[in-house]
Each structure stands twice: as structure tokens, then as C-alpha cells.
């Protein structure tokens, strides 16, 4: 979804989201100002930090460090909760520079603004803002890695390579090498990518406890390279090592998708048990539930006598998956009330239509819309799966042409087509 790059527009997301969800509800007028109308999700340790940052920001709204710290905290909450309202609050924290021209806006504020835009899939706006920031501060490693990521997501690997090399010149060498390795893996240079990532992981400095996050990132990248190469066992091993190093939302979703692809859907609910019920988490739970129902139906004839605690547990899991699917369906319907939001959720809605609702034609429509905006391997894979499920030869041809155009090599897509 293309969103206006202004603090006022981002902050309006919160109002729009709440209005949409309430569109079919009965209005309720609070009896007093003390009555709580809605409680936003609470994350351990967040509340005190939120209040402190709000106070400091109110006292020093033009203090660059305070504004960026507040925006970063809100954006992290948006990622954890999958709630775009917090991204609106993040942009609102930068409102002191809302009307300032780029030349008078601190480069770090521009980079933060671009990072928020990236989260909300305003890739054009994010890219343009980053290039302005880099023109003024070309040694900004954070700006280069963010730009490299955006270009990669859009399937512009050569341009991403250039940003990776710039990152390697101005930041720690590890990040530049890993950045290039990820692009190499996407192009099908799996051996080179694997060797580069494994060499980084072998560095003694990464054994320190405070490097767990870096190890997890590299191991996740390695797992994704192995999946691109069609090496399932190696991918599973890398994912498990990554989870052991440090859990993160992105990692758990990626591993959940892997488990689903190899038929280990029963492991997904436990993996995601402690995660916030974001759209992405609910989607994986719903897909796992649909797969479990299909498997249960196939084996029902041979297991009619196995009524036990196990069957009760299965019923509970089925109900939980059903609840996740219903909650996600309601969220998609609420989001659809806001003009121009379909593309933002197109990947997730395509997966929902394909794997939960068994509607391949709708899934294909959404997957085709999604690849106009983002072209990560998962986007092409969903497109390919929808085309095959819909038995649409022309769509299969579109997938192949797009893969060739951007230079992506993915054994999973090849097997699907």
C-alpha cells in the first residue's frame, strides 16, 4: 500500500483502524472520562518506557535522540503486535520535522521515517527518503542496510548489491558480507552464499552471549538459503539453531512456514504459543489448523476407536485454530473497509484464501496483486502455488517470466510449477 509520507497521515492510521473496526458495532458512550473504552496490547516492560518517552518527548519535542528513541520503541511494538496504529504513533513522534524540508531535517530522522515507511510497505517513499538522507550523510550504515533490504524485497538485486557494498565500506564488514550473501542465495549461487554465511558464523567473536541476535540473523539467512536450494534437512537444522540462539517474530514465522511446507503443521501452535496474536501469527495458526483437519479427515476411518485424552486435545487445538481463522477473517473484513489497504495485506490474504478457505481463484488474484508491490521468495511461492491450485497455465507463465526477470532461483517454486 502506498501511504502519504507525512506524520499526520501516519498518525491517522490509528483513527482509521479504530473507525473501521467499529463500523458495524453498536455505539457506546462512556459514562465518565474515567471509563476505559479500549485497552491496547501490553508488552512486558513497555508501559513505563512508554510513559517516560512520552514525558521526555513532550518536554523536548525537537530533541533528535528523544524523538528517534520514541519512534523506535513504537515501531518495535508495531512489529511485535502486528498493529499499524503503533507505526502511526512512531511517525507522530517525529512530527517536529513534519513540515521541514529534507535539507533541514536531521538525516537520522529521515532514516527513521524511511524505516517506518518500509514497515508499512511504502517502499517508494522509503527509498526516496533514504536516498535523500544518504546524499547528506553517505556514511550512514543503517541507511545503507535499509536501502539494500528494500531493493532486495522488490527484486532489484543488482541495485541491492551496490547498497550492500556501500554498507561494507562504511559499517562492520560482517554486515556487508552477509548482505551480499543473501542476494547471492536468491540468484541461485547457493554454495557461495552458504560458505560466506558459515564463515561469518565461525568467527570467534560471535560466540559471545551478546552476539546471540547476530548469530540468529545469520542462521536464519542460512536456513533461507538452504530452502532456496531445496535442502530441507539442512534448512531445518539451521532454523533450530537460530531458535536456540534467540527467538524473534520474523524467525518464528519463517520456521512456521517451513514446517507447514514439510507437513509438520502440528508443531506450529507450540512454536507460536507465546507470540502476540498479530495477523501473521493468526494466519499460521489457521493454516496449521486447516492442514490438521484435512489430515484428520483422511485418517478418520481407521481411528474411530481412539477416543482418549489425545482426541480431547485434538479437539481443543481444532477449536483454537478455528478461532484464529475467524478472528483473522474479521480483521481482513475490517481492513477492507479502508480504501487502498488490500495491497498491504495481499500476501496474507492470498495465503488465507488458498490454505484456509480453499479458494484458489481468489488467492491467485491477491497473489498477483501482491507481487506488484513486493517480490520476496515467499511472494513468488504463494503466486506459484495459487496458479497451480487454480490450474491456470497463463498464471504459471507469469510466475516463470517474473522469476526470470528478477533473477530469482527457488527450488520450491520450480517444484510447484
Amino acid at each position: 500500500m502506498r501511504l502519504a509520507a507525512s506524520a499526520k497521515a501516519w498518525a491517522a492510521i490509528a483513527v482509521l483502524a479504530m473507525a473501521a473496526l467499529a463500523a458495524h458495532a453498536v455505539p457506546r458512550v462512556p459514562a465518565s472520562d474515567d471509563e476505559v473504552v479500549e485497552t491496547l496490547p501490553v508488552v512486558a516492560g513497555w508501559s513505563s518506557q512508554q510513559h517516560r518517552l512520552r514525558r521526555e518527548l513532550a518536554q523536548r519535542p525537537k530533541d533528535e535522540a528523544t524523538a528517534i528513541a520514541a519512534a523506535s520503541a513504537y515501531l518495535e511494538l508495531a512489529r511485535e503486535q502486528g498493529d499499524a496504529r503503533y507505526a502511526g504513533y512512531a511517525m507522530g513522534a517525529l512530527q517536529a520535522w513534519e513540515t521541514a524540508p529534507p535539507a533541514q531535517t536531521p538525516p537520522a530522522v529521515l532514516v527513521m521515517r524511511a524505516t517506518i515507511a518500509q514497515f508499512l510497505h511504502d517502499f517508494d517513499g522509503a527509498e526516496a527518503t533514504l536516498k535523500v538522507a544518504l546524499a547528506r550523510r553517505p556514511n550512514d550504515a543503517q541507511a545503507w542496510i535499509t536501502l539494500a533490504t528494500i531493493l532486495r524485497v522488490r527484486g532489484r538485486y543488482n541495485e541491492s548489491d551496490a547498497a550492500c557494498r556501500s554498507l561494507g565500506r562504511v559499517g562492520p564488514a560482517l554486515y556487508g558480507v552477509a548482505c551480499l550473501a543473501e542476494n547471492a542465495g536468491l540468484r541461485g549461487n547457493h554454495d557461495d552464499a552458504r560458505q560466506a554465511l558459515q564463515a561469518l558464523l565461525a568467527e570467534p567473536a560471535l560466540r559471545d552471549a551478546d552476539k546471540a541476535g547476530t548469530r540468529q540473523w545469520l542462521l536464519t539467512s542460512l536456513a533461507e538459503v538452504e530452502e532456496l536450494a531445496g535442502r530441507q534437512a539442512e534448512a531445518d537444522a539451521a532454523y533450530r539453531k537460530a531458535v536456540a540462539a534467540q527467538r524473534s517474530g520474523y524467525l518464528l514465522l519463517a520456521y512456521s512456514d517451513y514446517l507447514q511446507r514439510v507437513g509438520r503443521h502440528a508443531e506450529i501452535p507450540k512454536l507460536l504459543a507465546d507470540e502476540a496474536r498479530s495477523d501473521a501469527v493468526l494466519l499460521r495458526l489457521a493454516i496449521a489448523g486447516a492442514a490438521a483437519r484435512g489430515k484428520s479427515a483422511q485418517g478418520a476411518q481407521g481411528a474411530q476407536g481412539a477416543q482418549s485424552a489425545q482426541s480431547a486435545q485434538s479437539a481443543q487445538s481444532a477449536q483454537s485454530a478455528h478461532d484464529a481463522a475467524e478472528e483473522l477473517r474479521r480483521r481482513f473484513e475490517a481492513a477492507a473497509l479502508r480504501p487502498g489497504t488490500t495491497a498491504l495485506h495481499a500476501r496474507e490474504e492470498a495465503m488465507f484464501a488458498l490454505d484456509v478457505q480453499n479458494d484458489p481463484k481468489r488467492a491467485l488474484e491477491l497473489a498477483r496483486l501482491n507481487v506488484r508491490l513486493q517480490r520476496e521468495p515467499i511472494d513468488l511461492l504463494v503466486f506459484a502455488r495459487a496458479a497451480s491450485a487454480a490450474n491456470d497455465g497463463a498464471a504459471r507463465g507469469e510466475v516463470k517470466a517474473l522469476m526470470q526477470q528478477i533473477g530469482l532461483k527457488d527450488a520450491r517454486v520450480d517444484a510447484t510449477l
Side-chain angles (χ1 to χ4, degrees):
M1 176 176 60
R2 304 290 195 257
L3 300 176
S6 71
K8 189 174 294 184
W10 296 112
I13 292 173
V15 178
L16 290 172
M18 293 170 67
L21 288 169
H24 299 294
V26 177
R28 179 169 65 86
V29 179
S32 72
D33 291 341
D34 296 328
E35 182 177 347
V36 177
V37 176
E38 179 182 9
T39 301
L40 294 176
V42 176
V43 174
W46 165 254
S47 183
S48 61
Q49 180 189 27
Q50 179 187 36
H51 290 308
R52 177 181 61 79
L53 287 171
R54 279 182 172 177
R55 287 196 302 270
E56 293 181 1
L57 192 61
Q59 295 168 358
R60 303 187 300 277
K62 293 187 177 182
D63 181 79
E64 177 182 338
T66 300
I68 291 174
S72 297
Y74 278 125
L75 185 58
E76 183 61 27
L77 189 56
R79 289 171 174 150
E80 291 175 353
Q81 300 293 333
D83 191 334
R85 290 177 292 185
Y86 293 112
Y89 302 153
M91 191 61 81
L94 308 177
Q95 65 182 344
W97 298 274
E98 179 182 1
T99 60
Q104 297 177 17
T105 301
V109 171
L110 294 174
V111 173
M112 189 69 239
R113 186 179 292 165
T115 304
I116 300 168
Q118 176 198 11
F119 172 80
L120 288 162
H121 292 189
D122 179 17
F123 298 124
D124 286 342
E127 180 182 344
T129 302
L130 287 169
K131 288 180 176 178
V132 171
L134 286 165
R136 294 180 52 201
R137 193 163 70 178
N139 292 332
D140 191 322
Q142 183 61 52
W144 282 119
I145 196 169
T146 305
L147 180 59
T149 300
I150 290 171
L151 294 168
R152 179 185 302 124
V153 166
R154 310 207 74 181
R156 292 155 57 186
Y157 302 151
N158 289 340
E159 294 174 73
S160 181
D161 280 347
C164 292
R165 294 188 185 96
S166 295
L167 170 64
R169 288 192 291 268
V170 304
L174 177 149
Y175 295 101
V177 172
C179 186
L180 288 169
E182 290 185 75
N183 289 349
L186 293 169
R187 289 192 179 93
N189 299 327
H190 303 130
D191 289 342
D192 292 343
R194 183 183 305 114
Q195 290 170 11
L197 292 169
Q198 289 176 338
L200 292 175
L201 285 162
E203 290 289 333
L206 286 188
R207 297 173 188 168
D208 295 342
D210 62 349
K211 300 297 183 181
T214 301
R215 289 198 305 276
Q216 180 253 96
W217 164 52
L218 294 173
L219 285 163
T220 304
S221 297
L222 179 59
E224 292 174 331
V225 169
E226 299 293 16
E227 281 209 84
L228 291 168
R231 291 157 49 100
Q232 293 184 359
E234 291 79 1
D236 184 50
Y239 275 128
R240 285 188 283 106
K241 289 179 181 178
V243 172
Q246 186 179 86
R247 298 165 72 94
S248 76
Y250 176 86
L251 164 62
L252 297 180
L253 293 176
Y255 193 25
S256 295
D257 289 342
Y258 165 83
L259 293 172
Q260 186 64 43
R261 282 189 286 271
V262 298
R264 292 161 55 189
H265 49 265
E267 299 176 39
I268 296 174
K270 182 177 180 181
L271 183 68
L272 300 177
D274 296 329
E275 295 302 293
R277 293 175 71 84
S278 66
D279 290 356
V281 168
L282 288 173
L283 174 62
R284 272 67 181 186
L285 294 174
I287 292 175
R293 288 193 298 274
K295 185 175 181 180
S296 177
Q298 291 177 359
Q301 294 180 349
Q304 293 179 356
Q307 300 295 328
S308 62
Q310 182 177 359
S311 63
Q313 183 178 4
S314 297
Q316 184 178 5
S317 298
Q319 183 61 47
S320 178
H322 177 269
D323 292 344
E326 283 301 299
E327 184 175 349
L328 190 58
R329 180 185 59 78
R330 289 193 296 270
R331 290 189 188 185
F332 284 150
E333 289 177 353
L337 299 174
R338 303 192 295 276
T341 62
T342 301
L344 177 60
H345 303 285
R347 176 201 290 170
E348 287 73 21
E349 289 199 56
M351 295 170 68
F352 188 70
L354 182 61
D355 295 317
V356 179
Q357 297 178 316
N358 194 27
D359 187 350
K361 291 187 177 179
R362 174 61 174 162
L364 180 56
E365 175 187 347
L366 289 161
R368 183 180 281 118
L369 174 64
N370 178 56
V371 295
R372 296 176 187 170
L373 180 65
Q374 52 186 355
R375 296 169 176 180
E376 293 186 87
I378 188 175
D379 301 306
L380 275 296
L381 181 55
V382 171
F383 193 8
R385 292 182 59 236
S388 295
N391 196 24
D392 190 322
R396 287 192 186 98
E398 289 179 53
V399 177
K400 292 177 181 177
L402 186 53
M403 295 275 287
Q404 185 174 12
Q405 175 190 331
I406 66 177
L408 175 63
K409 305 291 184 183
D410 189 336
R412 300 166 302 178
V413 175
D414 294 341
T416 300
L417 295 175

